[in-house]
Amino acid sequence: MELVNKNEVVVREDRNLLVITHLSQYLDFVTGFGGLIVPLVIWLTTKDSVIGMHEHGKSVINFQLTLILYLVIGIPGILLFGLGILLLVFAGILAVVMPAVNAIKASNGESPSYFGTIRFLS
């Protein structure tokens, strides 16, 4: 479905691209850094032309920034208190489960919801 808004930008529904945006977070496990960069590029280039991309892209970026924050807090927490391992395990479970759950939601046309995410971008 294609719509044309006031600025003559063609707006289309592309659930596959929304799914790819969520699943691209798994690049962190392959490259170590692609899980933030690739969704950011997809979001910035298509947020005005794909229906729902603005909402899904912000959710992915907020989630990735939250995971980075958890790691920054958790690693010194291991050395100082030993309890940082719990935060890292929590972040690891979230990093594996939540992108898949939200990719399924995106394919069904539902709004994303990432558990434990701090909203840096609103």
Side-chain angles (χ1 to χ4, degrees), residues 35-79:
L36 176 63
I37 295 170
V38 173
L40 181 63
V41 170
I42 293 172
W43 173 56
L44 290 175
T45 57
T46 62
K47 67 181 177 182
D48 296 327
S49 62
V50 175
I51 297 172
M53 180 56 79
H54 192 63
E55 178 186 11
H56 285 268
K58 282 193 311 186
S59 295
V60 170
I61 300 306
N62 283 330
F63 181 65
Q64 284 296 307
L65 292 175
T66 301
L67 287 178
I68 291 169
L69 181 65
Y70 287 163
L71 292 175
V72 167
I73 294 170
I75 291 173
I78 292 173
L79 300 174

Side-chain angles (χ1 to χ4, degrees), residues 2 10 17 30-31 33 41 45 48 60 63 72 75 84-86 88 91-93 97 99 102 112 115:
E2 292 187 0
V10 176
L17 188 58
V30 178
T31 63
F33 59 88
V41 170
T45 57
D48 296 327
V60 170
F63 181 65
V72 167
I75 291 173
I85 192 73
L86 297 175
L88 293 178
I93 291 170
V97 173
N102 283 289
F115 176 77

Side-chain angles (χ1 to χ4, degrees), residues 12-47:
R12 69 189 195 288
E13 182 176 13
D14 191 353
R15 290 185 184 172
N16 291 332
L17 188 58
L18 296 176
V19 170
I20 289 169
T21 304
H22 288 286
L23 294 179
S24 66
Q25 296 176 77
Y26 288 126
L27 287 171
D28 275 341
F29 297 114
V30 178
T31 63
F33 59 88
L36 176 63
I37 295 170
V38 173
L40 181 63
V41 170
I42 293 172
W43 173 56
L44 290 175
T45 57
T46 62
K47 67 181 177 182

Side-chain angles (χ1 to χ4, degrees), residues 22-23 26 96-107 110 113-114:
H22 288 286
L23 294 179
Y26 288 126
V96 171
V97 173
M98 295 311 293
V101 168
N102 283 289
I104 293 169
K105 285 185 173 189
S107 70
E110 299 173 25
S113 62
Y114 282 94

